């Protein structure tokens, strides 16, 4: 009696599976097992993040529930610990994880003013704050700053030379601080993130300073970003006192 031919939809007999197929199935099984473990760990992390928002040392009162210093420390530790294979993926993955954790502590809105640039501000805002927050466009810089002043949003503003909003930040918004710099591939700031951040929670690194009287020059770690009618926005590579009298408007990693 002739045997029935094997249908293309039927699984091949075990003795027809090659060593390469067996190896591929074993690799896929291991990946699936790791995915399950990673998902379990993510769920545990989000539960812990929810509890962190209620902890006694979390920012409360008029401040946003953000700790830029803590986030910067986490990123430095993980990037430093990662091997060369994983290192390029660490920052984008953990930005999303951190953003998901913040979502457990309350909704966060990003008021985005892009100016006339080509979308880099939007791209870098998404890279920094992830997909778990709400994004809204701001008609002008002051609309973004007003949203941040309300205490329910972060303002992300492009550094357009014709819109020196950073002067208004110094003069009219004493409760707002620059806490993140969104840089291009050369490390030059494209936009700045501003919010009602607990000054004690600002990361240590670059200090942003607005001064009057023209370009104060460079040196001693100071670098001019932009100028406007005698005003200068500069970065100092180091820690200056958080003193509005000195023109300091924030600090970033």
């Amino acid at each position: 009696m002739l045997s029935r031919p094997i249908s293309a939809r039927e699984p091949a007999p075990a003795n027809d599976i090659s060593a390469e197929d067996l190896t591929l199935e074993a690799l896929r099984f291991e990946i699936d097992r790791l995915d399950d473990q990673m998902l379990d760990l993510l769920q545990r992390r989000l539960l812990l993040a929810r509890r962190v928002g209620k902890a006694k040392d979390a920012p409360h009162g008029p401040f946003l529930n953000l700790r830029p210093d803590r986030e910067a420390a986490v990123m430095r530790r993980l990037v430093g610990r990662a091997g060369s294979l994983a290192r390029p993926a660490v920052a984008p993955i953990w930005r999303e994880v951190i953003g998901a954790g913040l979502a457990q502590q309350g909704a966060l809105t990003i008021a985005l003013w892009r100016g006339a640039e080509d979308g880099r501000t939007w791209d870098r805002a998404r890279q920094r704050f992830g997909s778990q927050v709400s994004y809204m466009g701001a008609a002008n810089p002051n609309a973004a700053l007003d949203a941040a002043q309300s205490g329910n949003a972060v303002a992300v503003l492009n550094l357009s030379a014709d819109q020196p909003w950073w002067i208004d930040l110094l003069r009219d918004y004493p409760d707002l601080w620059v806490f993140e710099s969104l840089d291009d591939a050369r490390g030059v700031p494209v936009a700045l993130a501003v919010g009602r951040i607990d000054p004690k929670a600002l990361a240590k690194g670059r200090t942003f300073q607005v001064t009057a009287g023209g370009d104060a020059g460079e040196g001693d770690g100071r670098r001019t970003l932009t100028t406007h009618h005698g005003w200068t926005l500069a970065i100092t590579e180091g820690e200056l006192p958080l003193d509005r009298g000195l023109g300091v408007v924030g600090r970033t990693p």
Side-chain angles (χ1 to χ4, degrees):
M1 182 177 178
L2 296 176
S3 62
R4 181 169 57 88
I6 296 175
S7 167
R9 295 184 178 181
E10 294 178 349
N15 58 1
D16 288 345
I17 299 177
S18 67
E20 290 78 7
D21 289 334
L22 285 171
T23 301
L24 181 59
E25 288 302 313
L27 291 171
R28 286 173 173 166
F29 176 82
E30 184 65 14
I31 287 174
D32 289 344
R33 189 176 69 86
L34 290 173
D35 284 344
D36 290 343
Q37 293 177 6
M38 291 166 66
L39 179 58
D40 290 341
L41 290 172
L42 176 60
Q43 293 179 148
R44 288 178 57 190
R45 193 187 194 283
L46 295 182
L47 288 172
L48 289 170
R50 183 182 299 175
R51 295 178 62 183
V52 164
K54 301 175 182 178
K56 63 180 180 180
D57 61 342
H60 292 295
F63 304 121
L64 286 168
N65 199 15
L66 295 175
R67 291 296 308 245
D69 56 346
R70 165 67 179 164
E71 292 184 28
V74 168
M75 296 301 295
R76 283 195 303 269
R77 181 176 67 83
L78 292 174
V79 170
R81 186 171 181 267
S84 58
L85 189 64
R87 190 171 295 118
V90 168
I93 289 174
W94 257 267
R95 285 297 183 197
E96 281 291 339
V97 171
I98 290 172
L102 290 173
Q104 298 299 313
Q105 302 172 20
L108 181 65
T109 297
I110 306 297
L112 190 70
W113 181 74
R114 299 189 299 176
E117 51 84 58
D118 57 2
R120 293 180 299 167
T121 299
W122 163 253
D123 291 340
R124 282 159 179 78
R126 291 275 297 194
Q127 292 168 7
R128 170 58 179 84
F129 295 100
S131 60
Q132 299 295 307
V133 302
S134 299
Y135 293 88
M136 68 175 190
N140 53 63
N142 286 104
L145 292 171
D146 287 343
Q149 182 70 20
S150 73
N152 298 317
V154 166
V156 174
L157 304 103
N158 177 257
L159 285 173
S160 295
D162 60 339
Q163 291 282 351
W165 56 265
W166 35 274
I167 301 175
D168 292 338
L169 175 64
L170 174 67
R171 296 186 300 195
D172 303 327
Y173 298 91
D175 298 324
L176 299 183
W177 296 97
V178 173
F179 68 92
E180 189 68 66
S181 175
L182 310 182
D183 301 347
D184 64 15
R186 299 170 299 166
V188 177
V190 171
L192 301 178
V194 178
R196 291 181 71 105
I197 305 295
D198 183 350
K200 297 189 297 294
L202 292 174
K204 296 180 180 180
R206 298 186 291 182
T207 300
F208 286 77
Q209 188 176 21
V210 178
T211 54
D215 187 352
E218 302 195 0
D220 295 328
R222 179 186 171 92
R223 176 163 54 101
T224 296
L225 281 179
T226 184
T227 61
H228 183 84
H229 293 177
W231 291 86
T232 299
L233 173 64
I235 296 176
T236 298
E237 300 292 339
E239 185 178 353
L240 294 178
L242 294 174
D243 185 348
R244 279 302 212 273
L246 298 176
V248 174
V249 293
R251 203 162 57 213
T252 69

